[in-house]
Structures are given as structure tokens and as C-alpha cells.
Amino acid sequence: MPVGPTTRRRQLGADLRRLRDARGLTLEEAGARVGISKATLSRYETKEGTVKWPAVDALCREYGASDHERKSLVELAKGARIQGWWRSLADPIPESMNLMITLEDEVVSEGHYSCMYVPGLLQTRAYADAVHRASEMRCTDQEINHMVDIRMKRQELLARDEPPHLWAVIDEAVIRRMVGGRSVMREQLRHLVAASTQPHVTVQILPFSAGAHAAAVGSFVILGGSTPELDVVYVDIIGGGLFMERQQELERYKLAFEYLRAQSLDLQSSAALLNQVCEEL
């Protein structure tokens, strides 16, 4: 799995903090030793903004990092400036989508709980178009098409040589909600069944019969990084989304996802329900 710029930046911040803590230095003390302010070093460690690789090199030497680790972190600092595929698009990415696409481009796994719509990575074009037209009432046809194009481009993530593992828990309400009409839904459900046969895609249906469950608050995505400290939870809200990476928040959503998987139908029964609903359309 290739490591993208945001993952490199976040990994760098986590490693710099780990090295400083191991050395027993405060932000102010460490910054003073290499000639940068406490605020700048704090920004380096909190994974925000750009970093200057000479400062990273100096910090590593001050912290007593090995030559191998120092060189690796310097490379992370340099690589954090490389941009992703979406930067080359003719039309800009909406600001509300930018961080999600950035993080998603670099994940090793995604855990989706969906209670409203099929996860974006598993949507057909016609279904995605219907979803955007329903939720973006004031957008022009050109704007809708642009957003659908972005969603289709995102799906190329699953066609990589080393794709992330996508595990989708989908509420039964999603597969019974008529989005775009019968033919669109029929195509979408067939697409879900076909996608679920891929080794890196797992689809489970949370049936109505499960009753009350662990995620009554709504849809969310657990974006799994190359190491646990890089995991992020994304929660849908109107007009964008919330990103959470505090340990307590991550543990809460990860536990909820485990409960949801346990309450859902197994893989064979999920596929059978998808086919049943498809035949009913």
C-alpha cells in the first residue's frame, strides 16, 4: 500500500512526539535546542501544516534518534509535500470533501456503517447521481456531474494492486430505500452482491430484526491507517463531516463497529437478502 502525503505527515508528527517524550523534554525545551518556537514544534507534532526537513533532522539529532530513524523521518518530511491525484482535477474539490479524500487515498482499511445510503465506494454511477441530486438541491447539473465524477474516481482505490480492505455494515433500510427508481436500485443491489465476492470487500446487512443496535447515532467510517495511531473516524453531518482521532473516540466507534458486525447477518445470508430485495423490485 503506497503511503500518501497526509499519512506521511501524521506519521511524522506522531514519531516526533514519541522521540521527544522518550527524551523527557518539554515542547519549549526541545524547540529552544534547535532554534524553533514552542508553537512551531507543537504544530509539527499535531500533524498540521508543512514542516522543514532541516528542523526535523536537527530534532532527531537532539533526541538521540538512530541514523536510520533520522533519515526515515527526514524522508517523511520531504514526502509530505507530494500531492494526491485530486489536486490535478480541472475543477476544485469541495472543501468539505478534501480531507476525507486525502485520508481515504492512504488507508489500509475502511470500516463503514451506513444507515442512509450505500457507501460511496460501492455506489453505481446512477445511484450516486440520485443521491447527490437529492442532497444538493441547489447545485447545477454540471456541479452534480463533477461530484459524481469524483465519487467514481475514488472507487479506483479498490482496483489497486494492493487495495484497502473495505468492510461495510449496511442497515436493511438502505437496501429497501428507493433511490433513483426501481431500475437504479436493482442495478445497485446487483453491484453490491458482485462487489462482495471480491476478497478485499466484505458486505454485511444489519437486518431490521436486530432491533436496537450500537450505532443509533448514524453513519460513520473508520479509516484505518498503517499503524493504529493513524486511525481516524469520519462521521457524516449536513454540509460535511466530523473527523475524530482521540483515543477515547476511536475506541468507542471501533467497539460499536464490532457490535454491529456481530449483530449483522453473515456473509451468505447478507448476499441472500440482497438478492431477495432485488427480486422484489
Side-chain angles (χ1 to χ4, degrees):
M1 172 67 61
V3 180
T6 301
T7 292
R8 286 191 288 266
R9 181 63 185 87
R10 298 176 71 231
Q11 184 68 65
L12 176 63
D15 286 344
L16 287 176
R17 176 161 189 164
R18 173 181 55 79
L19 288 170
R20 180 177 59 80
D21 286 344
R23 195 70 169 176
L25 297 172
T26 65
L27 285 168
E28 191 170 13
E29 290 169 341
R33 294 190 181 191
V34 299
I36 62 176
S37 68
K38 173 183 176 181
T40 297
L41 182 52
S42 176
R43 178 172 56 79
Y44 281 18
E45 292 186 4
T46 52
K47 314 152 194 172
E48 298 175 357
T50 58
V51 294
K52 296 180 178 179
W53 73 259
V56 171
D57 184 84
L59 286 166
C60 287
R61 293 179 188 276
E62 192 61 44
Y63 295 154
S66 67
D67 286 345
H68 174 74
E69 187 165 31
R70 176 177 58 81
K71 291 176 182 178
S72 295
L73 293 188
V74 167
E75 287 304 310
L76 282 177
K78 292 178 178 179
R81 298 184 179 185
I82 300 171
Q83 299 300 317
W85 58 264
W86 53 96
R87 300 294 186 184
S88 63
L89 294 176
D91 295 317
I93 296 286
E95 188 61 32
S96 60
M97 297 173 60
N98 188 58
L99 182 55
M100 176 61 176
I101 294 176
T102 302
L103 293 172
E104 186 175 67
D105 193 54
E106 304 167 11
V107 296
V108 298
S109 67
E110 285 196 27
H112 287 251
Y113 168 63
S114 299
C115 64
M116 181 63 68
Y117 298 123
V118 171
L121 291 179
L122 299 176
Q123 291 180 5
T124 63
R125 185 176 188 90
Y127 184 95
D129 183 85
V131 168
H132 279 299
R133 290 186 184 281
S135 58
E136 308 290 345
M137 295 80 70
R138 297 183 178 180
C139 289
T140 65
D141 285 348
Q142 182 179 355
E143 290 170 329
I144 294 292
N145 289 335
H146 177 52
M147 288 186 283
V148 174
D149 285 343
I150 292 171
R151 181 154 297 181
M152 296 300 102
K153 180 68 176 178
R154 283 172 53 202
Q155 294 182 4
E156 293 180 10
L157 180 74
L158 298 177
R160 290 177 175 173
D161 290 338
E162 295 182 48
H165 185 199
L166 172 63
W167 195 307
V169 173
I170 302 174
D171 195 284
E172 184 175 347
V174 172
I175 65 173
R176 293 190 180 278
R177 179 171 291 109
M178 195 67 65
V179 175
R182 290 182 179 276
S183 62
V184 170
M185 278 305 300
R186 194 179 299 115
E187 178 192 28
Q188 177 61 72
L189 294 180
R190 288 172 178 165
H191 181 68
L192 270 180
V193 172
S196 68
T197 64
Q198 300 178 67
H200 57 282
V201 177
T202 302
V203 175
Q204 286 185 275
I205 304 301
L206 181 65
F208 289 143
S209 60
H213 54 75
V217 293
S219 301
F220 63 87
V221 183
I222 300 174
L223 299 158
S226 54
T227 57
E229 63 266 23
L230 297 179
D231 293 351
V232 180
V233 169
Y234 172 82
V235 180
D236 270 326
I237 60 172
I238 293 178
L242 294 175
F243 294 88
M244 295 175 280
E245 56 181 336
R246 293 180 180 175
Q247 190 61 34
Q248 185 176 4
E249 295 167 338
L250 288 170
E251 289 177 356
R252 178 182 179 185
Y253 278 92
K254 287 178 179 179
L255 182 61
F257 194 64
E258 289 299 320
Y259 275 112
L260 287 166
R261 293 197 299 188
Q263 291 175 287
S264 297
L265 300 175
D266 61 30
L267 306 187
Q268 292 74 24
S269 299
S270 294
L273 181 56
L274 284 167
N275 283 316
Q276 176 190 325
V277 176
C278 186
E279 290 174 2
E280 292 171 358
L281 291 173

